[in-house]
């Protein structure tokens, strides 16, 4: 499968090894990669919304101040861009997706979520991928607040999927009782996006991997 990569000692701690998924190459530094402009953060207008099929049928809304008061954790994760470069070993700090699920429980029929960002950018995820242990709404990277171009104030990181599944500038989560394609999933990218299976493009999808295109 992937080629083993050994980091210079000290960079990520002694003996830490990451692996590159098939077809990926290691990128030094941290490029900025997204479609469209970088949004301006307006704290008085910003809110984080959970809507759709919630357990009690109500929407849930957090101001920026409230959001930063949610449970905080950190996750070391790699970021694999489908254009074939990978950044390894960032430490992301923020609110685990599991904390959102706990604060705003989904209805029992929820199978997928749509994560919404500024300008209507979106990414769909299976509920199981969203609820996975490493999935985190990151506010910090390597101990510092995110920069605007990397998603300030909040970006999603889904360590086990390609990076487009993690919107920067997230504004909300929609609970869904059936799957629907997000921004890149409608535009030729794979509905599931597992880098270890090289699920890059929608033409690779097998029956059951996603809704009809
Ligand atoms: N809102 C938004 N988030 C996005 C994207 C985008 O176009 N818009 N691109 C994704 C892709 S393809 C990648 S590789 C990562 C890149 O994150 P970075 O700029 O912090 O390296 O952001 C992801 N999140
Ligand atoms: Mo990407």
């Amino acid at each position: 499968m992937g080629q083993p990569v050994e980091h210079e000692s000290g960079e990520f701690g002694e003996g830490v090894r990451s692996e590159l998924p098939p077809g990926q190459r290691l990128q030094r530094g941290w490029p900025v990669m997204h479609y469209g402009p970088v949004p301006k953060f307006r704290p008085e207008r910003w809110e984080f919304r959970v809507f759709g099929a919630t357990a009690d049928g109500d929407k849930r809304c957090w101001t920026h101040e409230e959001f930063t008061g949610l449970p905080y954790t950190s996750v070391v994760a790699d970021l694999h861009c489908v254009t074939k470069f990978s950044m390894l070993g960032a430490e992301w700090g923020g609110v685990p997706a599991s904390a959102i699920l706990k604060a705003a429980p989904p209805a029992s029929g929820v199978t997928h979520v749509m994560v919404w960002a500024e300008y209507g950018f979106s990414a769909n995820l299976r509920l199981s991928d969203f609820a996975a242990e490493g999935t985190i709404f990151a506010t910090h990277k390597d101990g510092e607040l995110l920069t605007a171009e990397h998603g300030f104030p909040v970006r999603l990181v889904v360590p086990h999927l390609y990076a487009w599944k993690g919107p920067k500038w997230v504004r909300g989560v929609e609970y869904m009782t059936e799957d629907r394609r997000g921004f890149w999933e409608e535009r030729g990218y794979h509905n599931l996006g597992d880098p270890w299976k090289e699920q890059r493009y929608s033409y690779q999808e097998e029956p059951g991997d996603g809704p009809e295109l």
Side-chain angles (χ1 to χ4, degrees), residues 48-54 58-62 100-101 103-106 130 171-175:
F48 186 101
R49 284 174 11 113
V50 177
F51 62 103
T54 56
D58 288 340
K59 298 180 175 65
R60 189 81 173 74
C61 225
W62 288 273
I100 298 296
L101 289 166
F130 184 71
R171 292 291 300 275
V173 178
E174 178 185 356
Y175 291 154

Side-chain angles (χ1 to χ4, degrees), residues 30-36 79-82 85 87 92 117-118 121 149-151 155 163-169 183-184:
W30 200 281
V32 172
M33 185 77 158
H34 57 263
Y35 175 82
L79 201 150
H80 309 296
C81 178
V82 70
F85 62 85
M87 283 82 76
W92 301 96
E118 300 285 355
F121 185 85
E149 24 340 318
H150 287 298
R155 77 178 293 165
W164 88 78
K165 289 288 190 181
K168 303 193 277 192
W169 315 295
F183 184 88
W184 288 120

Side-chain angles (χ1 to χ4, degrees), residues 33 81-83 124 162 164-165 181-193 199-205 213:
M33 185 77 158
C81 178
V82 70
T83 64
N124 59 318
Y162 283 118
W164 88 78
K165 289 288 190 181
R181 289 175 190 269
F183 184 88
W184 288 120
E185 295 81 4
E186 276 186 331
R187 290 169 174 76
Y189 289 91
H190 198 287
N191 191 56
L192 301 176
Q199 294 175 331
R200 296 179 191 272
Y201 308 111
S202 52
Y203 65 74
Q204 300 171 299
E205 287 175 18
L213 263 166

Side-chain angles (χ1 to χ4, degrees), residues 14-28:
E14 291 300 328
V16 174
R17 268 165 189 268
S18 292
E19 228 172 288
L20 280 177
Q24 294 293 112
R25 62 190 153 70
L26 181 60
Q27 170 79 43
R28 295 269 166 205

